[in-house]
Amino acid sequence: PRLCKQQSLLLLVLSLLLLPESAAPFTASTEHVTMSGKALRLTSPFLAPTTTTAALVVLNTPIPAPHDSPVFDKLWHATRYRICADGGANRLHDHNAKLIPDCVCGDLDSLRQDVRELYTTHGVSIELDPCQDANDLDKSLTRVFGASPLDAVYVYGAFGGRFDQEMAAFQALYAWCDAEKQQQEESDAAVLYLYNEETCAVLIPPNRKCEVSLPFYGGQQTEDNPTSAIPSLAVGEGPTCGLIPLAMKCETIVTDGLQWDLDGTVPMEFGGLVSTSNRMMKPVVTIEVSHPIIFTAEIIRRTV
């Protein structure tokens, strides 16, 4: 016999309750955001002191000439472990042959022979992973996260190339976000950041107060000279920024410190509200979300 509406609704509720944990990597309230405890600090590498607990992944996209790549230069010197994702080794070599990575990883179908030979003479680990069910970025991140505890992992070259490869970089933000650890008050999960010379992005995890610190903030128009947390700094992130609900609807988002703050009353989703061309008005912006979203910011250069 056909089930009545009440029985069908009961079965639907029970099926949702019995879903395995693996089917719901992000658990979040759909009604409100409740935050407590220690905030997750997402700090620009241009503000953070040079750390020995960060890693850099170089992707197969062009790196500008040494005199025109301040973001890459900063990330290289701010990290202690550097890995090239397959053809990223060619890009690093062509940018500056004196820079030697720790590892080259991937299916190695793009690695040039001259680059392989040079890096081999310098003791670089060349690691072949022929699996075609994962891309070279994922293979490199597997190597990076398995090496040692880290505070941050920077991926350089995530933007500006093929659209599908850009989407693969965003997929990595979700796939490698340890949401459970990042929701804990004493999180030791490494934060993954995407970069090129013009922009950056990071995942804001759900159910955790996040504090985003960027070097540039303030000003009302893009042509205004914004305030800097470090007056002598010529390059860095901000002030223009955005909040993008890329993978799913975000029911609740509350911010403080943006030119157009969000108060949690309007969900964020494609086809509805998406916060683009927003602006950091404070050196630290707080963001609280019910579901994961992407925070992105421009990178500017100025004369000091």
Side-chain angles (χ1 to χ4, degrees):
R2 186 171 60 183
L3 293 174
C4 66
K5 291 183 178 179
Q6 291 84 354
Q7 289 173 310
S8 298
L9 179 60
L10 177 60
L11 288 175
L12 175 61
V13 172
L14 288 174
S15 65
L16 291 174
L17 291 175
L18 293 175
L19 276 176
E21 291 184 4
S22 60
F26 298 103
T27 57
S29 167
T30 60
E31 296 182 355
H32 63 278
V33 182
T34 302
M35 303 292 162
S36 63
K38 184 179 178 181
L40 177 63
R41 292 182 175 86
L42 305 173
T43 303
S44 160
F46 289 91
L47 294 177
T50 300
T51 176
T52 59
T53 55
L56 173 64
V57 179
V58 180
L59 298 183
N60 188 10
T61 57
I63 305 172
H67 66 275
D68 196 33
S69 55
V71 174
F72 177 80
D73 295 341
K74 178 61 181 181
L75 297 180
W76 182 270
H77 293 292
T79 53
R80 70 171 178 85
Y81 184 77
R82 296 99 174 208
I83 184 170
C84 294
D86 197 357
N90 304 334
R91 305 294 188 174
L92 178 63
H93 173 271
D94 294 346
H95 169 74
N96 187 342
K98 295 180 180 180
L99 299 180
I100 305 299
D102 296 285
C103 177
V104 178
C105 181
D107 60 11
L108 306 185
D109 63 339
S110 300
L111 180 62
R112 296 201 313 259
Q113 186 61 30
D114 63 311
V115 177
R116 177 197 284 264
E117 292 174 357
L118 174 65
Y119 286 167
T120 299
T121 63
H122 285 278
V124 175
S125 176
I126 309 294
E127 301 183 6
L128 171 64
D129 185 341
C131 176
Q132 294 302 303
D133 292 329
N135 58 47
D136 290 329
L137 173 55
D138 283 327
K139 294 172 185 177
S140 298
L141 291 174
T142 299
R143 182 70 170 82
V144 165
F145 284 109
S148 61
L150 298 166
D151 294 326
V153 177
Y154 303 109
V155 176
Y156 182 87
F159 311 104
R162 282 172 25 205
F163 180 72
D164 62 327
Q165 292 181 339
E166 289 185 333
M167 289 297 99
F170 281 111
Q171 153 68 10
L173 288 183
Y174 287 86
W176 292 92
C177 171
D178 195 328
E180 182 178 356
K181 284 187 177 181
Q182 291 190 354
Q183 289 173 24
Q184 296 171 359
E185 294 182 9
E186 299 297 333
S187 169
D188 58 357
V191 178
L192 182 64
Y193 299 85
L194 306 180
Y195 273 88
N196 73 353
E197 294 294 325
E198 290 82 30
T199 192
C200 66
V202 65
L203 188 76
I204 304 295
N207 300 332
R208 179 80 184 273
K209 181 178 180 179
C210 295
E211 295 179 348
V212 179
S213 299
L214 302 183
F216 296 114
Y217 57 94
Q220 297 301 314
Q221 303 294 333
T222 55
E223 61 267 20
D224 290 346
N225 193 25
T227 302
S228 174
I230 304 176
S232 62
L233 189 64
V235 180
E237 307 94 327
T240 304
C241 63
L243 295 161
I244 314 298
L246 186 60
M248 64 190 71
K249 180 179 181 179
C250 182
E251 294 286 353
T252 306
I253 176 169
V254 179
T255 68
D256 179 69
L258 297 177
Q259 186 171 7
W260 292 281
D261 273 321
L262 299 155
D263 62 6
T265 59
V266 181
M268 186 173 285
E269 61 181 326
F270 281 104
L273 174 66
V274 176
S275 179
T276 61
S277 300
N278 212 322
R279 197 171 183 88
M280 297 262 302
M281 300 305 292
K282 298 179 180 180
V284 179
V285 167
T286 61
I287 304 173
E288 307 171 3
V289 298
S290 61
H291 297 77
I293 64 166
I294 300 293
F295 175 86
T296 181
E298 69 172 335
I299 296 174
I300 64 171
R301 305 186 192 188
R302 64 173 191 165
T303 302
V304 295

